[in-house]
Structures are given as structure tokens and as C-alpha cells.
Amino acid sequence: MSDRRVCAIVVTWHPDTEMLQRLVNAAGPQVSHLVVVDNGGTRLAARDGVTLLAQPVNVGLAAGFNVGIAFARAGGFDTVLLLDQDSEPKPGMVQSLIRALDGASAGTPIAAVGPVFQDVRENHVAPFVQFGFPLNRKIIAERGAPVPCDFLISSGSLIPLAVLDAVGEMDTTLFIDNVDLEWSCRAHAAGYALLGVPEARMGHRLGDGRRGVLGLGHVVVHGPTRLYYIMRNRVLLYRMPHVPRTWVAQDLLRLPVKFLIFALLVGPRWRNARAMLKGLADGIRGRATACPPG
């Protein structure tokens, strides 16, 4: 039995109250404590083992996680579990992650472990990812040993605080998108490995929805503000020395495809195009500020 003291960190911004309550009900019994960092609009009934930290403004996902990490340090916890507001850990998820983290063989130290997740609107699980060119290698693993991967989404990631001391916390300049990708790359550059854990399961919602686009199948839909950050942050990552050139090269192929889909095929097309162009321009300039209005 592991003696890890895990603090779950949920960052919220105007969440669906019922969905958030399901998350708390699912995650709370699996961890020592749960802290909700509220960037605005969160209503949550008081209960033992849960702390609500209201922020004066929307500080973003990265800074919200860092607020929770500071809370965990001050509270004497040794491990954090990062969660998005639209995730739902399945029974036994945290224990499966702990077993993988504690049971990793000697050698390369482990930065984080993460679960298999499935969007409730899809009938298949998401793959673990290893970077490649021209395409990433996507590994579907629903059972078996942990899978080495180059990237874990932040939600569901179990991270020892000692690793965060060595690698650093989340990059607040990114605000929301690609925060997990940047941290994963930084951990790899510092000599750590990441593991996906097939026996650990989590429900999760990506984007605002799904939409069929011509012969391309269904794409994840984002609003203009998210598209701004998606475009800006990917350009900011291009110039970071710890981000692999393999990822940069294949993402450069994806960028125009994503732009054309949301500028021409998914509405609101004009607002999408304007937000993405602004994001690209700010990324090229190296601007890492709050998203401009409109």
C-alpha cells in the first residue's frame, strides 16, 4: 500500500455544476484532499476534504494549477493529481497511477503518469502519443504494461512534487492551450520519462463539441478565444529549445490545415479567422499576454 499523500487540483472557469459535482464525487475518495481553484463562476457545496480557492480574476489554467501546487506544498502533500473541470476519474484510477509511478523500474526517473481517457461523445479511447514525422505514433493501449510516451494531457496526470521542484511548474505565459505539451517536453529535456497507464481510466471532454467536416470526419470544435491561444501558443512553442524539432516539423504541416478548417468550414468563420490570425501574429512577435477582446 502506497503512503503517498495525493492532493487533486481542479481548475475551473464557469463549469457545469452537475459535471463538477460528479468529478468531485469521483476523485475525492481516491485522494487525500481535493482543491478547486476557481477562476470564476464556480458553485460547489462545502464538504470535508475539499477546499475552494477563489481567484480575483481568471488567471488561466497554468497559473491555476500552480496555485493548487502551492496549496499542496503548504499542506504537506507529496504528489498532485491535475484535473480539468470536465474530467471524471473512473474508480481505482488514482491507485492504478500510483502503482505505475511507484513500480517503475530503476533507470530513467518518471516525471508523470497518466490514464487512458475517453471522450464521452466518442466510442473509442484516446491514444498515447510518441512524436514522429510526418505523423505522431499513436498507441491504443487498453490493457498491459505502462506505455512510454512523449506527451500526457494535464488532466489525469499524477506528478510528484519533487519532480515539479526539479522541472518547474506550469508555464503561465501560455495561459491555457499547450500547457501540458510544453511541460511534457520540459520534463523530457530534464531527463525524465512519461508513462501512460492502460489500467487507469478517465472520462474527459475535449473542446466545445464535435462537428462533421466534409470528408475529414469529426473535428473537435473550439470557439474564437481558444483558437487564438491554440495558434499563438503553438508558435511560441516553436522557438522553445526544449520542444523537439520533430514535433515542430510535423505541427507546421498541421497548422494550415487547422486554419483552413476553422476559417472556411466551421463557424463563426470570420471571427475564427480573425482570432487565429491575431494569435499567429502575436506568436511570431513573441507576445504572451491575455487574449485581446473580439
Side-chain angles (χ1 to χ4, degrees), residues 202-219:
M202 181 180 74
H204 184 64
R205 286 178 178 264
L206 285 173
D208 299 330
R210 297 288 188 276
R211 186 173 301 178
V213 177
L214 299 178
L216 300 176
H218 287 81
V219 298

Side-chain angles (χ1 to χ4, degrees), residues 4 38 52 59 61 68 82 87 112 130 133 155 185 209 273 284 293:
R4 286 187 179 274
D38 173 29
L52 181 67
V59 299
L61 183 67
L82 308 184
S87 297
Q130 296 174 353
F133 183 86
S155 191
C185 294
I284 292 169

Side-chain angles (χ1 to χ4, degrees), residues 97-279:
L97 293 175
I98 290 174
R99 282 196 297 270
L101 185 62
D102 290 344
S105 58
T108 305
I110 305 302
V113 292
V116 173
F117 73 89
Q118 181 174 358
D119 193 303
V120 296
R121 297 160 296 189
E122 296 183 341
N123 57 9
H124 59 84
V125 300
F128 296 119
V129 174
Q130 296 174 353
F131 297 149
F133 183 86
L135 299 172
N136 289 331
R137 183 186 178 200
K138 297 182 178 181
I139 303 170
I140 301 292
E142 299 192 58
R143 59 184 61 85
V147 177
C149 49
D150 292 325
F151 161 69
L152 291 172
I153 69 167
S154 55
S155 191
S157 290
L158 187 75
I159 309 174
L161 283 177
V163 171
L164 288 163
D165 291 338
V167 174
E169 298 180 354
M170 305 301 137
D171 186 343
T172 59
T173 64
L174 298 177
F175 196 77
I176 182 167
D177 282 286
N178 282 335
V179 171
D180 40 18
L181 176 61
E182 187 279 328
W183 191 87
S184 294
C185 294
R186 191 160 16 111
H188 270 297
Y192 288 86
L194 303 169
L195 294 177
V197 184
E199 69 176 24
R201 297 303 182 91
M202 181 180 74
H204 184 64
R205 286 178 178 264
L206 285 173
D208 299 330
R210 297 288 188 276
R211 186 173 301 178
V213 177
L214 299 178
L216 300 176
H218 287 81
V219 298
V220 178
V221 175
H222 300 283
T225 299
R226 286 296 298 272
L227 289 172
Y228 168 86
Y229 284 113
I230 286 170
M231 289 298 178
R232 189 200 71 174
N233 288 359
R234 70 201 314 150
V235 177
L236 292 177
L237 261 64
Y238 293 165
R239 66 182 69 197
M240 294 181 180
H242 55 277
V243 174
R245 299 302 94 181
T246 299
W247 179 85
V248 174
Q250 51 101 339
D251 193 70
L252 282 168
L253 300 179
R254 283 202 305 265
L255 190 156
V257 175
K258 193 174 192 75
F259 183 91
L260 290 173
I261 288 173
F262 284 93
L264 300 178
L265 303 176
V266 177
R269 290 175 293 182
W270 168 241
R271 289 180 59 206
N272 287 346
R274 186 169 60 180
M276 289 188 292
L277 287 171
K278 178 63 175 172

